[in-house]
Structure formats: C-alpha cells, structure tokens
Amino acid sequence: MLVEHILRRKGRRIAIVDPEATIARALEILAQDNIGALPVVRDDRIVGMLSERDVARGLVDRGAALLDTPVTDLMTTRLTTCRPETTIEELMTMMTMRRIRHVPVLGEDGSLAGMISIGDVVKCRLDELETEAQALRDYVAGVQ
C-alpha cells in the first residue's frame, strides 16, 4: 500500500500555521483540529513543523512567555518528508528510525500534498491485516 491510498481515505485537508503566528495561536489550531503537529507554511511552501512535543519542551525551557513567541523560534526546520508513492513499509521505517509521528507529504512540485500521522499508518496496517484475515477465513470456509 502507498501513502497515496491513505490520503485518499482520510482526505487531504491540512491544518497549517504561519511562521510568524504565535505559539498560542498554533496551540489553538492544534486543539481545534485535535492534531499533534502542524506544518509551518510560508508562500505555499513548508518551511518547518511544530509539534506538541516542541511546545512542551519550549515551555520547560522558557515558561509561559513562550506563548507570545513566534512559531519560527520553536519549529523544527530539518524536515522528514515523503511522497504519495512512498510505501507504507518505507514510511513506517522512516518514522521508527527518526522517532517522528507526523510526516508531511510533498507533491511532485514540492508543495504540501497531505500529512500522515502514526495513527494513520497504524489504521492502515490494521485494515490490511483484517482484509488478509477475512480472505483466509473465506478460503478455509470454501475448502470445507
């Protein structure tokens, strides 16, 4: 299965945040959309990622003043991305090796085409396993 298949199932709506927005505004978006990370986008290009983990660590270091800080001060700029044609196995390896939970999907032109979370990957794998199990049940029932 490919990343494209997950995007087709879940949809391509992507919550984003502007690099100059405050951390408080980013947290509002995260809470509003019930998500754990946001792509930081400037001029239709992804320039970073901001996760709940980034904010939690920032709060420990800087305290409540962090909330008025621009996203650019806290976002991760060393991005791990994938393409729609990336396999789920490749994506799982990438997420595990780099210890990340959210991966932006880039289109051919480098634009943001979607977001895949570890939850999306787990759901995909569970669906695949259920399909395989049902095929085996059907096969065994047909043999008898």
Side-chain angles (χ1 to χ4, degrees):
M1 182 161 298
L2 304 177
V3 165
E4 175 64 28
H5 299 130
I6 293 177
L7 291 178
R8 274 194 229 136
R9 279 190 202 163
K10 75 176 254 178
R12 296 183 183 270
R13 184 186 171 287
I14 310 166
I16 62 171
V17 67
D18 184 271
E20 303 312 317
T22 64
I23 296 299
R25 175 64 186 132
L27 287 172
E28 288 172 8
I29 297 168
L30 289 168
Q32 199 173 20
D33 286 37
N34 195 29
I35 54 177
L38 283 169
V40 183
V41 176
R42 176 185 291 129
D43 299 326
D44 296 325
R45 293 284 182 211
I46 185 167
V47 295
M49 287 287 293
L50 182 75
S51 70
E52 292 171 325
R53 186 180 291 175
D54 295 329
V55 175
R57 290 178 177 155
L59 283 169
V60 168
D61 292 341
R62 303 181 199 179
L66 177 74
L67 297 175
D68 295 322
T69 303
V71 168
T72 53
D73 286 4
L74 200 58
M75 70 184 188
T76 300
T77 57
R78 188 171 170 213
L79 300 177
T80 297
T81 63
C82 68
R83 300 272 187 194
E85 62 272 9
T86 302
T87 67
I88 299 309
E89 291 77 17
E90 291 169 325
L91 185 62
M92 287 189 301
T93 299
M94 183 186 317
M95 293 174 108
T96 302
M97 297 299 290
R98 296 187 179 140
R99 300 179 52 97
I100 54 176
R101 298 177 182 175
H102 302 87
V103 177
V105 182
L106 301 183
E108 288 181 25
D109 62 354
S111 65
L112 188 60
M115 280 289 291
I116 299 289
S117 72
I118 192 70
D120 299 327
V121 173
V122 169
K123 182 181 183 325
C124 172
R125 288 295 294 143
L126 289 174
D127 290 348
E128 283 180 336
L129 291 172
E130 180 55 37
T131 300
E132 289 174 16
Q134 186 59 50
L136 286 171
R137 285 191 291 271
D138 292 346
Y139 173 76
V140 169
V143 170
Q144 295 176 358

